[in-house]
Amino acid sequence: MTAIQYFWRHPLAEQVREEGREEGREEGRVQERADMVLRLLEWRGVPVGDAVRRQVYACGDLDRLESWAQRAMHVTDAAELFAPG
């Protein structure tokens, strides 16, 4: 009698699940960082328009979001987040 190898217990299935979990964690970090950028602006009383909000949430780069969070501490207009420099 041969043992039945169920797919969800197969090493490949385990690898796929772990990759999915890591992607989910990365997406969570990006979402959290984007929320932080916008909260910083709002806490400082800087108005945040829909275009700025969309651009921040569309960004998937943690380093760029970190840069924007640092800028959010100093800008007087939310659009200044995206200025080159």
Side-chain angles (χ1 to χ4, degrees), residues 27-58:
E27 288 173 9
R29 285 188 289 268
V30 167
Q31 177 71 38
E32 189 174 293
R33 190 75 48 90
D35 289 341
M36 180 180 66
V37 169
L38 297 173
R39 275 196 313 269
L40 285 168
L41 292 169
E42 290 167 357
W43 288 338
R44 295 190 54 242
V46 177
V48 177
D50 289 340
V52 169
R53 191 174 303 280
R54 278 193 303 272
Q55 189 166 350
V56 169
Y57 281 130

Side-chain angles (χ1 to χ4, degrees), residues 14-27:
E14 291 290 332
Q15 178 184 352
V16 169
R17 277 196 298 277
E18 182 54 37
E19 288 171 2
R21 282 191 287 271
E22 182 55 38
E23 284 178 23
R25 285 190 288 266
E26 180 73 12
E27 288 173 9

